[in-house]
Amino acid sequence: MKKMPLFSKSQKNPAEIVKILKDNMAILEKQDKKTDKASEEVSKSLQAIKEILCGTNDKEPPTEAVAQLAQELYSSGLLVTLIADLQLIDFEGKKDVTQIFNNILRRQIGTRSPTVEYISAHPHILFMLLKGYEAPQIALRCGIMLRECIRHEPLAKIILFSNQFRDFFKYVELSTFDIASDAFATFKDLLTRHKMLVADFLEQNYDTIFEDYEKLLQSENYVTKRQSLKLLGELILDRHNFVIMTKYISKPENLKLMMNLLRDKSPNIQFEAFHVFKVFVASPHKTQPIVEILLKNQPKLIEFLSSFQKERTDDEQFTDEKNYLIKQIRDLKKTGP
């Protein structure tokens, strides 16, 4: 039996496709008269790459071709170019790039993930994706690719421990709702997916992170404020973050902020604030400044909590927690002289 060639005469091999795509991306970068033709070639090449990676309806992707293509994408630097020039590619092409990027990122050889290794060695790819939040026409595409990267702990670690991580605090406050929401989804993913890594990161960067985080909790933007409160509750109640929780609930300014948020005009914000406030009250190891604030406001707090969100009659857990907190506050005694 004669072995069939991997690519028929009419089909281009991965090296040829990558070269055509790279050449046409260079023409697009110049933004001159030839861009229409180049744009068409880019679309065709992206389709061809997608076909090799994902296969077609009737056939599985050929392993050899996929390996060859991946190698070409790395060695030619095309993977970097596609992200750097994403804005120049048409709408369908942007979707193709996202699909190609995410597909090649998931590729494994045994226990190795070659694209994860490649991006770890070229971390500016991650920071280009992150900066994509500043460009409305590519922000959501970059978000999809960024979240795919975050699934891999080595890549999540690079972003968390970088100076650029703090840019999230700016992106989640962007005025375009869908972009701010997408940025928040990525931010939340980074802070909840790899538990041990995140605990380590938060412990090492507690002061700077929580200083920025406090601004989100006082945001003028209702959605940002609510999502940030919800995430804070999730973070401090996670057993991996015990050290962070202990530190957070020892600080009187944090308790004061939660007490203010309990009186927010939005019932949803009040409710999320309640779930953080309860950790201060229920803790068996309250610091002296926390005990003092609770004692100083003891009668007011008991009265406030007794009538707090009474309409939530069907939420038994909430009612039980509220009664428990009232008892805890009522039982507080002055210590010392």
Side-chain angles (χ1 to χ4, degrees):
M1 277 285 284
K2 199 169 134 208
K3 193 168 180 227
M4 287 290 290
L6 197 53
F7 298 94
S8 64
K9 288 277 188 293
S10 63
Q11 244 185 337
K12 294 182 173 60
N13 68 36
E16 291 167 329
I17 299 170
V18 167
K19 186 179 182 329
I20 293 168
L21 183 48
K22 201 166 162 67
D23 293 347
N24 283 286
M25 287 303 295
I27 298 169
L28 278 191
E29 282 173 16
K30 292 200 189 87
Q31 289 286 293
D32 60 17
K33 290 191 189 73
K34 297 185 193 140
T35 53
D36 283 355
K37 178 87 180 83
S39 192
E40 218 172 288
E41 287 297 329
V42 165
S43 296
K44 278 200 287 201
S45 303
L46 288 170
Q47 277 296 325
I49 288 179
K50 213 168 79 171
E51 226 165 87
I52 295 174
L53 280 180
C54 310
T56 48
N57 291 338
D58 52 347
K59 55 179 190 290
E60 283 286 295
T63 322
E64 243 174 284
V66 172
Q68 206 180 329
L69 177 63
Q71 209 36 60
E72 290 292 337
L73 283 171
Y74 308 145
S75 59
S76 66
L78 184 63
L79 203 60
V80 177
T81 307
L82 289 173
I83 304 297
D85 293 342
L86 194 58
Q87 303 202 44
L88 305 175
I89 301 171
D90 67 17
F91 180 75
E92 283 304 318
K94 286 188 182 79
K95 280 175 29 184
D96 289 339
V97 170
T98 309
Q99 218 178 325
I100 290 164
F101 183 89
N102 285 2
N103 184 296
I104 206 147
L105 191 54
R106 291 179 197 138
R107 187 172 162 260
Q108 285 188 301
I109 302 172
T111 56
R112 282 184 53 227
S113 299
T115 310
V116 174
E117 291 167 17
Y118 178 78
I119 296 173
S120 296
H122 301 81
H124 64 291
I125 294 175
L126 295 169
F127 303 127
M128 283 195 293
L129 289 172
L130 184 54
K131 210 167 172 47
Y133 279 125
E134 294 172 23
Q137 62 276 47
I138 59 168
L140 302 181
R141 294 274 138 217
C142 288
I144 293 169
M145 291 185 270
L146 206 47
R147 283 189 293 281
E148 190 63 45
C149 290
I150 289 165
R151 293 171 63 151
H152 303 274
E153 195 165 333
L155 303 184
K157 185 175 185 175
I158 292 170
I159 302 171
L160 279 172
F161 284 91
S162 70
N163 294 331
Q164 288 92 327
F165 174 76
R166 292 182 75 181
D167 290 342
F168 273 107
F169 291 98
K170 181 173 70 185
Y171 299 149
V172 301
E173 289 271 42
L174 286 168
S175 55
T176 312
F177 176 76
D178 55 348
I179 298 177
S181 297
D182 194 277
F184 197 92
T186 308
F187 177 65
K188 180 180 177 178
D189 216 9
L190 257 177
L191 289 176
T192 51
R193 187 175 279 276
H194 306 285
K195 306 287 191 191
M196 306 292 278
L197 171 68
V198 170
D200 191 30
F201 164 70
L202 291 174
E203 282 170 40
Q204 285 183 46
N205 298 277
Y206 180 90
D207 292 334
T208 49
I209 295 303
F210 279 91
E211 198 177 304
D212 286 338
Y213 207 100
E214 193 175 327
K215 292 176 193 137
L216 295 185
L217 297 173
Q218 299 178 66
S219 170
E220 293 296 307
N221 180 328
Y222 162 75
V223 178
T224 305
K225 192 171 173 179
R226 183 182 175 190
Q227 287 179 322
S228 304
L229 251 177
K230 201 178 173 80
L231 176 57
L232 175 65
E234 203 176 309
L235 287 173
I236 64 172
L237 286 168
D238 188 314
R239 62 188 176 80
H240 295 88
N241 297 331
F242 182 77
V243 175
I244 308 303
M245 182 267 285
T246 308
K247 198 163 185 176
Y248 188 84
I249 64 166
S250 71
K251 303 207 180 306
E253 60 275 19
N254 295 335
L255 174 58
K256 285 177 187 163
L257 175 59
M258 285 311 133
M259 284 164 67
N260 284 332
L261 291 171
L262 279 173
R263 295 198 307 269
D264 192 273
K265 58 180 186 294
S266 152
N268 289 322
I269 294 216
Q270 295 172 4
F271 186 65
E272 297 304 344
F274 173 82
H275 287 299
V276 178
F277 171 74
K278 70 184 183 192
V279 186
F280 286 90
V281 179
S283 166
H285 309 293
K286 297 177 194 58
T287 57
Q288 199 48 41
I290 297 294
V291 173
E292 279 164 19
I293 292 173
L294 294 173
L295 276 171
K296 190 175 159 200
N297 295 279
Q298 196 176 32
K300 267 196 251 168
L301 276 170
I302 292 169
E303 189 188 342
F304 175 80
L305 288 170
S306 301
S307 58
F308 180 65
Q309 299 210 352
K310 272 208 158 127
E311 64 284 2
R312 281 186 192 271
T313 46
D314 54 345
D315 188 340
E316 275 184 41
Q317 190 185 343
F318 171 68
T319 310
D320 289 349
E321 286 179 351
K322 219 170 59 158
N323 291 336
Y324 177 74
L325 295 191
I326 292 169
K327 184 182 181 319
Q328 288 290 311
I329 294 169
R330 192 172 277 138
D331 293 350
L332 274 176
K333 301 276 186 293
K334 285 188 173 60
T335 51

